[in-house]
């Protein structure tokens, strides 16, 4: 083994046993090398095998009765594949550590953050509690956590997403490992927080001479941190090389597709290329510049929001009266015109989702007005609001949790029609559902399947079909593509545009990803701390943002 190579993986195969007892291979003859002090990016869509191959190295896959691992993984000359649990415990955390994708589910919710890092140190190193506590506080400072003492004593739910991810990084570094595996560590984060986390990892790598395996589906993110890249597709490695070569001169159609399907920062094509375009060899140069229709703003707006306030009570006194409040939405005013897409952007906690829910009367507003089609929604009685519901629908962020797992696709989509007694009888309703399923790219033969039988992108299409089955005039998309691979995201964004063009929908598109919002939106409204800080035409805002906060958001977008 070359002494410059920290980890050498050769002929790695991973198979899982399915419900029928058949073995299904998910990692197929994978091999790559991680060099000392360098960052390797492992890129691919969900299901490509990128995370499974790293979990195999860490010995974190199910037992041999359900999972079969073959091949070799030499770490500092020591074979990891086939190690028993006790041997792996000496390697995990101490020599190889992992930063998982979702810190909220990776951290123990009933243990204080600092105690979890202390536990890691005391497990692997012979130190007393006070020494472990001192080192944990020093680590919290190193990963730039504010108020280390306070966060040490905080539970995970009491700190922000970015702070939880920093705690995870501190835990990964607790025992000075030689290799850190970061599995999609920034996917759920705002672009500004993502930028700081990526910079932090890069700084720590250089300072500690760490080797990093960084797993993601986003080549824009990989460009910020990786020295070398391997691209995985359907369990195999299809391309490898140094980062500059893979990103700027890719040889494989799949890699070119992953790069092309990211919404561009310059210009707005009418349609995003997809990975399927490249894999099938179709002409992908047909994505002309935007030729979308100009919005008619001489007519009254479809939706008018004026001085809207939404307040949450955080604490009450012993008599039940509010003692501490949060102004989640603070004096926001804007209009949305028929056929328009208004992008709503800002970091987590800025109030954008609360604003969307207040418009739909899913949360109550404290003051201000919401006028939809000339009627005041904020003063309507619940029965009147219910009668307005078919005209206003929402597509939620997480398609899996917003679908009832006990209902088939057909039952899920047809339910609103039954509730509002539309289309006369059951046969007509079913025909309408099948027609819409075809429109959104779902096979009508899937009518009787359940949500768990579909991919993330397919589940999002089910949610879109459910939202559109009542022919709404206004659709609020709440982070509806943020959980998707960039390739699937491109398909869903194209679908939303096609449906808007065909049926004349009006969208409010909520997201923290400005490149996605720019592609889809006619105008963009930027929110910070509950307030509206900028509202401008999409292209103008990207070319010449006026507010420093908007400028900061734009600067944080990963570029290749």
């Amino acid at each position: 083994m070359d002494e410059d190579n920290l980890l050498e993986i050769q002929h790695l195969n991973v198979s899982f046993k399915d419900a029928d007892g058949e073995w299904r291979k998910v990692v197929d003859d994978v091999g790559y090398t991680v060099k000392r002090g360098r960052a390797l990016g492992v890129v691919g869509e969900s299901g490509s095998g990128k995370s499974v191959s790293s979990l195999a190295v860490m010995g974190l896959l199910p037992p041999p009765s359900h999972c079969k691992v073959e091949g070799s993984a030499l770490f500092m000359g020591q074979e990891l594949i086939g190690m028993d649990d006790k041997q792996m415990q000496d390697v995990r955390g101490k020599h190889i550590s992992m930063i998982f994708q979702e810190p909220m589910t990776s951290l123990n919710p009933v243990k204080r953050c600092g105690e979890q890092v202390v536990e890691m140190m005391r497990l692997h190193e012979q130190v007393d509690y006070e020494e472990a506590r001192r080192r944990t506080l020093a680590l919290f400072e190193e990963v730039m956590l504010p108020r280390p003492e306070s966060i040490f004593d905080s539970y995970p739910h009491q700190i922000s997403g970015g702070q939880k991810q920093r705690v995870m990084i501190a835990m990964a570094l607790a025992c000075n490992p030689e290799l850190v595996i970061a599995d999609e560590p920034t996917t759920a984060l705002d672009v500004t927080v993502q930028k700081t986390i990526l910079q932090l990892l890069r700084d720590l790598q250089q300072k500690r001479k760490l080797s990093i395996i960084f797993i993601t589906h986003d080549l824009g993110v990989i460009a910020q941190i990786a020295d070398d890249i391997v691209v995985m597709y359907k369990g195999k490695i299809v391309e490898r090389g140094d980062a500059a070569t893979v990103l700027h001169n890719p040889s494989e159609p799949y890699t070119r597709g992953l790069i092309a399907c990211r919404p561009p920062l310059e210009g707005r094509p009418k349609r995003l290329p997809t990975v399927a375009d490249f894999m099938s060899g179709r002409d992908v140069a047909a994505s002309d510049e935007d030729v979308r229709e100009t919005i008619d703003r001489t007519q009254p707006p479809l939706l008018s929001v004026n001085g809207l306030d939404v307040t949450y009570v955080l604490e009450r006194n012993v008599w039940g009266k509010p003692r501490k409040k949060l102004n989640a939405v603070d004096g926001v005013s804007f209009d949305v015109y028929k056929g328009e897409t208004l992008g709503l952007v800002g970091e987590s906690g800025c109030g954008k989702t609360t604003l969307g829910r207040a418009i739909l009367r899913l949360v109550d507003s404290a003051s201000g007005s919401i006028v939809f089609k000339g009627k005041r929604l904020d003063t309507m009685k619940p029965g009147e609001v219910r009668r307005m519901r078919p005209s206003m629908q929402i597509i939620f962020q997480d398609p899996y949790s917003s679908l009832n797992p006990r209902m088939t696709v057909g039952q899920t989509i047809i339910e609103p029609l039954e509730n509002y007694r539309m289309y006369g009888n059951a046969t007509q309703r079913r025909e309408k559902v099948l027609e819409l399923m075809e429109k959104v790219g779902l096979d009508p033969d899937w009518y009787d399947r359940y949500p768990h039988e579909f991919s993330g992108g397919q589940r999002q299409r089910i949610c879109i079909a459910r939202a559109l089955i009542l022919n709404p005039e206004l659709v609020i998309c709440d982070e509806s593509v943020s959980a998707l691979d960039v390739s699937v995201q491109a398909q869903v964004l194209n679908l939303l545009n096609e449906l808007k063009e065909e049926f004349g929908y009006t969208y409010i598109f909520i997201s923290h990803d400005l490149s996605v919002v720019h592609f889809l939106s006619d105008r963009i409204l930027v929110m910070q701390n509950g307030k509206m800080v900028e509202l401008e035409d999409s292209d103008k805002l990207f070319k010449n943002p006026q507010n420093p906060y908007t400028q900061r958001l734009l600067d944080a977008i990963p570029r290749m």
Side-chain angles (χ1 to χ4, degrees):
M1 181 173 178
D2 190 324
E3 62 181 27
D4 287 337
N5 296 343
L6 184 68
L7 175 68
E8 286 184 5
I9 295 175
Q10 295 179 339
H11 307 297
L12 182 67
N13 295 281
V14 180
S15 302
F16 288 102
K17 188 179 283 187
D18 62 22
D20 298 324
E22 299 293 326
W23 288 101
R24 183 170 59 89
K25 189 176 283 189
V26 295
V27 173
D28 189 356
D29 198 30
V30 162
Y32 56 77
T33 299
V34 182
K35 296 188 177 294
R36 294 179 186 273
R38 287 177 71 85
L40 173 74
V42 182
V43 187
E45 299 169 278
S46 295
S48 64
K50 57 189 188 298
S51 294
V52 171
S53 57
S54 292
L55 291 172
V57 169
M58 293 284 284
L60 294 175
L61 292 175
S65 57
H66 292 84
C67 177
K68 191 162 54 180
V69 180
E70 301 166 321
S72 171
L74 285 175
F75 176 72
M76 298 171 64
Q78 188 177 23
E79 181 59 66
L80 299 179
I81 305 299
M83 269 191 178
D84 61 35
D85 288 342
K86 189 176 185 311
Q87 291 173 310
M88 280 305 303
Q89 283 174 8
D90 292 334
V91 174
R92 283 197 298 257
K94 187 174 183 179
H95 298 289
I96 306 176
S97 59
M98 198 158 188
I99 305 166
F100 292 97
Q101 179 172 357
E102 180 44 72
M104 191 64 212
T105 56
S106 305
L107 293 170
N108 190 330
V110 298
K111 275 194 170 183
R112 299 180 193 275
C113 294
E115 298 293 341
Q116 298 187 50
V117 183
V118 164
E119 181 182 43
M120 170 75 76
M121 285 185 188
R122 299 197 70 195
L123 180 67
H124 290 286
E125 301 187 6
Q126 301 302 313
V127 293
D128 60 25
Y129 179 84
E130 287 305 318
E131 173 63 12
R133 187 178 193 279
R134 183 192 65 75
R135 284 171 54 180
T136 297
L137 290 171
L139 266 176
F140 281 4
E141 286 185 11
E142 188 175 5
V143 299
M144 294 185 288
L145 275 166
R147 311 177 311 282
E149 293 268 2
S150 172
I151 288 181
F152 186 99
D153 293 324
S154 298
Y155 290 97
H157 72 272
Q158 295 176 307
I159 61 178
S160 71
Q163 289 170 344
K164 281 193 279 280
Q165 198 60 281
R166 288 168 191 263
V167 170
M168 285 291 297
I169 292 170
M171 191 182 299
L173 299 177
C175 299
N176 296 306
E178 289 86 0
L179 174 64
V180 172
I181 300 174
D183 187 4
E184 302 268 15
T186 62
T187 298
L189 303 178
D190 296 328
V191 284
T192 48
V193 180
Q194 174 179 272
K195 183 180 180 181
T196 58
I197 294 294
L198 290 172
Q199 187 60 52
L200 171 64
L201 284 171
R202 198 60 160 153
D203 292 344
L204 289 169
Q205 182 208 3
Q206 293 170 356
K207 178 182 173 183
R208 290 173 169 246
K209 308 298 182 189
L210 278 173
S211 295
I212 295 177
I213 296 176
F214 195 98
I215 300 167
T216 185
H217 61 262
D218 191 336
L219 282 159
V221 169
I222 277 292
Q224 311 303 307
I225 194 167
D227 301 302
D228 307 291
I229 294 174
V230 296
V231 182
M232 292 188 67
Y233 177 61
K234 293 185 176 179
K236 296 176 180 285
I237 291 178
V238 296
E239 187 157 3
R240 69 179 77 222
D242 64 88
T245 301
V246 173
L247 293 173
H248 301 295
N249 190 25
S251 61
E252 292 296 316
Y254 180 70
T255 312
R256 294 201 297 271
L258 282 180
I259 293 170
C261 66
R262 298 175 70 248
L265 301 181
E266 302 294 331
R268 289 197 304 160
K270 187 173 183 180
R271 179 185 176 277
L272 290 172
T274 66
V275 168
D277 292 330
F278 285 83
M279 298 302 286
S280 65
R282 286 196 294 267
D283 179 13
V284 293
S287 302
D288 298 326
E289 284 299 297
D290 190 7
V291 290
R292 298 170 207 175
E293 294 180 9
T294 304
I295 305 303
D296 182 6
R297 296 195 174 91
T298 61
Q299 299 297 319
L302 179 69
L303 174 74
S304 186
V305 176
N306 292 290
L308 192 69
D309 293 309
V310 179
T311 304
Y312 292 125
V313 176
L314 300 180
E315 290 181 15
R316 296 182 184 272
N317 61 23
V318 292
W319 294 280
K321 293 190 176 180
R323 183 167 63 185
K324 188 176 179 182
K325 296 182 179 179
L326 170 70
N327 288 339
V329 176
D330 191 355
V332 171
S333 301
F334 62 92
D335 295 327
V336 183
Y337 293 85
K338 186 171 177 58
E340 180 177 28
T341 298
L342 177 73
L344 192 53
V345 300
E347 296 172 289
S348 295
C350 72
K352 57 188 186 294
T353 292
T354 300
L355 174 57
R357 291 175 181 239
I359 291 168
L360 296 177
R361 286 289 305 272
L362 297 176
V363 297
D364 292 328
S365 53
S367 61
S369 67
I370 306 165
V371 180
F372 178 66
K373 296 174 65 177
K375 297 179 180 178
R376 283 280 297 267
L377 289 179
D378 55 293
T379 57
M380 275 185 183
K381 293 179 180 178
E384 294 176 287
V385 173
R386 188 180 185 281
R387 285 192 289 274
M388 293 289 287
R389 286 258 182 257
S391 299
M392 306 177 297
Q393 292 292 303
I394 186 168
I395 304 168
F396 292 103
Q397 177 174 0
D398 183 350
Y400 195 69
S401 62
S402 57
L403 292 171
N404 187 332
R406 296 183 178 183
M407 293 175 67
T408 66
V409 172
Q411 291 170 334
T412 296
I413 301 172
I414 208 170
E415 185 183 37
L417 296 181
E418 294 171 341
N419 287 344
Y420 286 95
R421 297 178 181 148
M422 295 175 68
Y423 296 102
N425 58 49
T427 302
Q428 290 176 319
R429 288 172 191 146
R430 182 184 172 94
E431 287 174 0
K432 178 65 179 174
V433 170
L434 294 173
E435 179 188 329
L436 185 58
M437 284 179 67
E438 207 160 0
K439 280 268 193 253
V440 302
L442 294 169
D443 191 326
D445 291 340
W446 299 343
Y447 187 93
D448 293 316
R449 290 191 184 181
Y450 289 89
H452 73 272
E453 299 180 76
F454 294 91
S455 69
Q458 289 168 337
R459 283 196 286 265
Q460 196 59 281
R461 289 169 188 266
I462 296 167
C463 291
I464 291 171
R466 181 181 167 88
L468 302 184
I469 193 68
L470 295 174
N471 295 318
E473 294 180 64
L474 175 67
V475 180
I476 296 180
C477 306
D478 186 9
E479 298 275 14
S480 51
V481 297
S482 62
L484 304 177
D485 292 335
V486 286
S487 55
V488 180
Q489 176 181 278
Q491 296 170 27
V492 173
L493 291 174
N494 287 338
L495 173 64
L496 289 172
N497 263 343
E498 289 161 11
L499 293 170
K500 176 187 171 183
E501 190 173 335
E502 184 173 352
F503 297 105
Y505 295 129
T506 302
Y507 293 138
I508 294 179
F509 192 87
I510 301 170
S511 180
H512 61 260
D513 188 334
L514 269 87
S515 59
V516 167
V517 171
H518 174 238
F519 166 73
L520 207 63
S521 304
D522 300 294
R523 289 186 300 155
I524 297 177
L525 188 158
V526 183
M527 289 186 69
Q528 182 186 26
N529 298 328
K531 296 180 182 290
M532 184 178 78
V533 298
E534 193 158 357
L535 174 61
E536 187 53 270
D537 174 84
S538 180
D539 289 331
K540 286 182 182 177
L541 183 131
F542 256 62
K543 288 174 183 173
N544 189 26
Q546 299 299 303
N547 190 278
Y549 176 70
T550 310
Q551 293 167 6
R552 198 161 75 245
L553 286 178
L554 290 171
D555 288 342
I557 298 173
R559 290 165 169 82
M560 289 197 295

